């Protein structure tokens, strides 16, 4: 037993080290940070950036995907968020960060099919290199960020979850995102500006 324990400990250290090496650096943005703009391919084949919509006061940027059960459960709520806040200057921009090599159901072709079937009224972008997810610090699907225009920049105002019940929209008690948007639209900092994102881990590219 005394000989086995050191070997087991060494194995665990090696396994943990290998796991850590496979994980990208996802420190990401904090509330108050300026975000770097991007150009990502939409399901219609066109490139989309935050700067494209000159009338936007900001965006609800949501890292989501086709395959995660949490993302699927929140899909109708994401559609509703766009319908509610796009007319107020904060449209949804959805970004799929998953590597289709790990999750084939998140390929660009499958993204196109889902966007058409569900009638997305917002861009659904492919983060092919996963660089944008890393910049933002996204780790889950869904994981959302509200960014508000500040001069020529966009600044993070809220990070985290949509609400407190991923399983059943009818049982939601606290609508984190909507509460934050009420403050933001009133020109105030969100009272609660950060919550824990609940969802599937992003499927990162294999090393």
């Amino acid at each position: 037993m005394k000989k086995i324990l050191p070997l087991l400990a060494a194995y665990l250290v090696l396994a943990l080290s290998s796991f850590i090496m496979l994980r990208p650096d996802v420190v990401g943005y904090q509330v108050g940070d300026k975000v770097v703009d991007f150009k990502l391919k939409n399901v219609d084949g066109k490139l989309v950036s935050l700067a494209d919509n000159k009338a936007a006061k900001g965006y609800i940027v949501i890292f989501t995907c086709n395959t995660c059960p949490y993302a699927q459960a929140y899909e109708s709520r994401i559609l509703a968020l766009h319908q509610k806040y796009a007319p107020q200057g904060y449209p949804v921009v959805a970004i799929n960060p998953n590597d289709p090599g790990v999750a084939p159901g998140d390929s660009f072709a499958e993204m196109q099919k889902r966007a058409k079937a569900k009638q997305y009224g917002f861009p659904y972008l492919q983060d092919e290199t996963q660089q944008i997810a890393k910049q933002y610090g996204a780790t889950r699907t869904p994981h959302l960020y509200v960014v508000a225009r500040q001069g020529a920049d966009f600044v993070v105002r809220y990070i985290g979850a949509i609400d407190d019940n991923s399983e059943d929209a009818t049982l939601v008690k606290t609508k984190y995102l909507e509460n934050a948007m009420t403050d933001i639209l009133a020109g105030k900092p969100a009272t609660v500006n950060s919550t824990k994102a609940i969802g599937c881990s992003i499927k990162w590219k294999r090393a």
Side-chain angles (χ1 to χ4, degrees):
M1 180 62 70
K2 290 182 179 180
K3 293 181 179 179
I4 293 174
L5 288 175
L7 289 173
L8 180 59
Y11 173 80
L12 289 173
V13 169
L14 179 61
L16 181 59
S17 299
S18 299
F19 176 78
I20 290 171
M21 289 175 65
L22 290 173
R23 305 302 298 168
D25 181 4
V26 288
V27 175
Y29 296 131
Q30 303 298 315
V31 172
D33 287 347
K34 295 178 182 179
V35 303
V36 177
D37 205 353
F38 51 71
K39 278 191 177 294
L40 296 176
K41 186 168 67 172
N42 189 18
V43 287
D44 63 3
K46 297 178 182 179
L47 293 177
V48 171
S49 70
L50 299 178
D52 289 340
N53 185 349
K54 304 300 183 184
K57 298 176 183 177
Y59 294 92
I60 301 171
V61 178
I62 304 179
F63 291 88
T64 187
C65 68
N66 291 357
T67 57
C68 171
Y70 291 92
Q72 293 168 3
Y74 271 113
E75 193 168 37
S76 61
R77 280 173 269 184
I78 292 171
L79 289 163
L81 288 173
H82 181 70
Q83 291 174 351
K84 180 173 182 177
Y85 292 110
Q88 300 182 67
Y90 282 81
V92 164
V93 173
I95 301 175
N96 188 336
N98 279 355
D99 177 18
V102 178
D106 285 309
S107 69
F108 187 70
E110 292 300 321
M111 288 173 59
Q112 290 177 309
K113 290 179 185 178
R114 191 165 194 92
K116 183 177 181 180
K118 300 295 182 178
Q119 299 182 315
Y120 286 2
F122 46 80
Y124 188 26
L125 312 179
Q126 183 183 42
D127 186 9
E128 189 171 7
T129 67
Q130 303 185 312
Q131 184 59 38
I132 305 308
K134 294 174 188 176
Q135 283 181 346
Y136 273 72
T139 58
R140 303 282 176 180
T141 53
H143 199 155
L144 67 87
Y145 298 75
V146 176
V147 299
R149 190 184 292 276
Q150 184 173 298
D153 300 310
F154 287 95
V155 177
V156 179
R157 296 301 186 201
Y158 173 80
I159 301 173
I162 293 173
D163 55 44
D164 65 354
N165 195 312
S166 61
E167 296 180 8
D168 190 339
T170 65
L171 298 179
V172 169
K173 294 181 180 178
T174 306
K175 297 182 177 181
Y176 303 128
L177 182 279
E178 293 194 38
N179 290 345
M181 286 303 302
T182 296
D183 290 334
I184 292 166
L185 289 169
K188 301 183 295 185
T191 303
V192 177
N193 60 24
S194 181
T195 57
K196 182 180 179 180
I198 302 297
C200 304
S201 296
I202 290 175
K203 304 304 182 285
W204 303 106
K205 293 181 184 293
R206 296 189 178 100

